[in-house]
């Protein structure tokens, strides 16, 4: 527990959004955009969670306050993966934006990348594609699901409304049934939207 607390203190305390990023957000979306980004910066810097479970819960709550809007309305595109900065600056986005923001924030809070995936699923109730964050406490463990559709973080077995298709993180890409086995099917670098997202990411998030 002490080791986790020490790691938490140093994980995000130096996180600083570049002034040019804040200025650009304010210039495009107004002073409230800057305030939201600074609130995120403080959220990361002041994290005092006692466990990774608490980090998951805090990050999930922080972003689930934002408004869901489809890419077609927000970006006039069929599919666009916003960076956390773009998502917060606009204060709205779709499921991919919620998932991406939670994923990178949890990494900033010190959760190891190998425990985190962005997972593409079929949402049965919506009858459409959807995206969530999945967390694996140990290799091969049942994942916990962080979702913008519901507030509660539940194990995958308690989300029969979601059918996993594939998952990825900065290290790899897995088919749904192979993730817990650790069997890669490729590298996330092969994903065009992921690469475009990383190219737009501020230096402080790399």
């Amino acid at each position: 527990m002490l080791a986790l607390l020490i790691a938490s203190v140093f994980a995000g305390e130096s996180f600083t959004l570049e002034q040019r990023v804040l200025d650009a957000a304010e210039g495009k979306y107004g002073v409230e955009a800057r305030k939201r980004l600074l609130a995120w910066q403080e959220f990361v810097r002041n994290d005092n969670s006692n466990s990774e479970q608490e980090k998951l819960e805090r990050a999930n709550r922080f972003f689930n306050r934002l408004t869901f809007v489809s890419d077609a309305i927000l970006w006039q595109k069929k599919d666009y993966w916003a960076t956390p900065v773009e998502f917060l600056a606009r204060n709205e986005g779709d499921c991919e934006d919620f998932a991406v923001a939670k994923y990178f924030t949890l990494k900033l809070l010190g959760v190891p990348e190998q425990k985190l995936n962005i997972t593409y699923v079929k949402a049965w109730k919506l009858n459409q594609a959807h995206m969530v964050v999945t967390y694996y406490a140990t290799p091969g463990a049942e994942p916990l699901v962080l979702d913008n559709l519901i507030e509660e973080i539940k194990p995958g077995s308690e989300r029969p409304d979601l059918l996993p298709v594939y998952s990825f993180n900065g290290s790899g890409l897995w088919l749904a049934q192979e993730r817990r086995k650790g069997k890669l099917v490729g590298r996330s670098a092969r994903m065009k939207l992921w690469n475009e997202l990383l190219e737009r990411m501020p230096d402080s998030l790399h």
Side-chain angles (χ1 to χ4, degrees), residues 28-29 36 66-98 200:
K28 196 167 187 178
Y29 302 112
R36 286 190 294 271
L66 277 68
T67 302
F68 178 90
V69 178
S70 71
D71 286 336
I73 294 173
L74 192 60
W75 300 102
Q76 291 77 55
K77 293 183 178 182
K78 181 179 179 181
D79 207 2
Y80 181 85
W81 293 8
T83 68
V85 169
E86 291 171 325
F87 183 34
L88 284 162
R90 298 203 68 157
N91 201 30
E92 52 192 6
D94 71 354
C95 59
E96 292 95 344
D97 305 331
F98 282 91
R200 298 193 311 275

Side-chain angles (χ1 to χ4, degrees), residues 146-188:
L146 286 72
D147 190 358
N148 66 291
L149 295 178
I150 65 172
E151 291 300 321
E152 187 178 357
I153 297 174
K154 294 184 176 183
S157 61
E158 296 182 20
R159 295 300 307 274
D161 56 313
L162 303 180
L163 175 66
V165 179
Y166 69 84
S167 64
F168 65 95
N169 60 23
S171 302
L173 173 68
W174 297 266
L175 293 177
Q177 302 307 316
E178 304 297 334
R179 175 60 179 90
R180 292 174 70 178
K181 301 175 186 177
K183 185 178 179 181
L184 281 168
V185 296
R187 296 291 175 185
S188 53

Side-chain angles (χ1 to χ4, degrees), residues 12-195:
E13 68 172 4
S14 62
F15 174 52
T16 302
L17 290 165
E18 297 94 329
Q19 194 63 41
R20 62 178 180 80
V21 171
L22 296 172
D23 291 343
E26 181 175 351
K28 196 167 187 178
Y29 302 112
V31 68
E32 293 302 317
R34 177 187 287 269
K35 290 180 180 179
R36 286 190 294 271
L37 290 171
L38 289 175
W40 177 45
Q41 179 176 280
E42 289 306 303
F43 172 83
V44 172
R45 284 182 173 183
N46 296 331
D47 177 56
N48 59 356
S49 302
N50 294 317
S51 66
E52 288 183 349
Q53 175 71 37
E54 190 174 348
K55 293 178 189 291
L56 299 180
E57 292 169 356
R58 293 184 70 243
N60 204 50
R61 286 196 303 269
F62 185 88
F63 286 104
N64 278 2
R65 299 175 300 175
L66 277 68
T67 302
F68 178 90
V69 178
S70 71
D71 286 336
I73 294 173
L74 192 60
W75 300 102
Q76 291 77 55
K77 293 183 178 182
K78 181 179 179 181
D79 207 2
Y80 181 85
W81 293 8
T83 68
V85 169
E86 291 171 325
F87 183 34
L88 284 162
R90 298 203 68 157
N91 201 30
E92 52 192 6
D94 71 354
C95 59
E96 292 95 344
D97 305 331
F98 282 91
V100 165
K102 293 173 188 179
Y103 169 82
F104 280 103
T105 298
L106 288 167
K107 285 182 61 179
L108 287 170
L109 295 178
V111 179
E113 181 179 70
Q114 63 266 27
K115 294 185 176 184
L116 298 170
N117 271 184
I118 297 174
T119 301
Y120 179 88
V121 301
K122 172 71 178 291
W124 291 115
K125 292 180 180 179
L126 299 177
N127 192 32
Q128 66 184 40
H130 184 52
M131 196 167 277
V132 298
V133 171
T134 45
Y135 165 83
Y136 297 79
T138 58
E142 180 180 12
L144 297 177
V145 180
L146 286 72
D147 190 358
N148 66 291
L149 295 178
I150 65 172
E151 291 300 321
E152 187 178 357
I153 297 174
K154 294 184 176 183
S157 61
E158 296 182 20
R159 295 300 307 274
D161 56 313
L162 303 180
L163 175 66
V165 179
Y166 69 84
S167 64
F168 65 95
N169 60 23
S171 302
L173 173 68
W174 297 266
L175 293 177
Q177 302 307 316
E178 304 297 334
R179 175 60 179 90
R180 292 174 70 178
K181 301 175 186 177
K183 185 178 179 181
L184 281 168
V185 296
R187 296 291 175 185
S188 53
R190 67 194 283 188
M191 301 171 65
K192 182 174 182 289
L193 289 170
W194 178 246
N195 287 331

